Amino acid sequence: MKKKHQFVLILGIINVILPVIPVLSHRGWFGMVENGWKFIWVAAIMILLPFVSSLAGIIIGSIQLKKTSTKPVKMGLLLSCTGLVMHLLFRFVFRL
């Protein structure tokens, strides 16, 4: 049972880091590509992955929260929600 609680926490930490990666690549921190259309599928994955991962983290965290309310589950759920808010802010408010 402990592994499921830690999984929610680790997924929450990943969900906070994931929205930052497209912003850094958009700003050119990971290097510029001469032909952007060659890597369009990578861009599509980088745009969709934080949103899908955050939703999965919220769903898994809420299911685990119903079963047992432990500190790692609460922190993981909070971090997943924060990752979703960060993704929505970067994508729609700041237009990055």
Side-chain angles (χ1 to χ4, degrees), residues 4-52:
K4 290 182 182 180
H5 305 310
Q6 292 175 352
F7 174 73
V8 174
L9 180 62
I10 291 171
L11 187 60
I13 293 169
I14 291 171
N15 287 335
V16 171
I17 295 171
L18 275 179
V20 177
I21 294 172
V23 172
L24 293 177
S25 65
H26 177 74
R27 295 291 182 196
W29 286 30
F30 291 136
M32 299 299 288
V33 177
E34 292 179 12
N35 187 3
W37 287 103
K38 186 175 179 183
F39 298 103
I40 193 71
W41 60 273
V42 174
I45 289 172
M46 288 175 63
I47 289 171
L48 293 176
L49 185 65
F51 182 72
V52 173

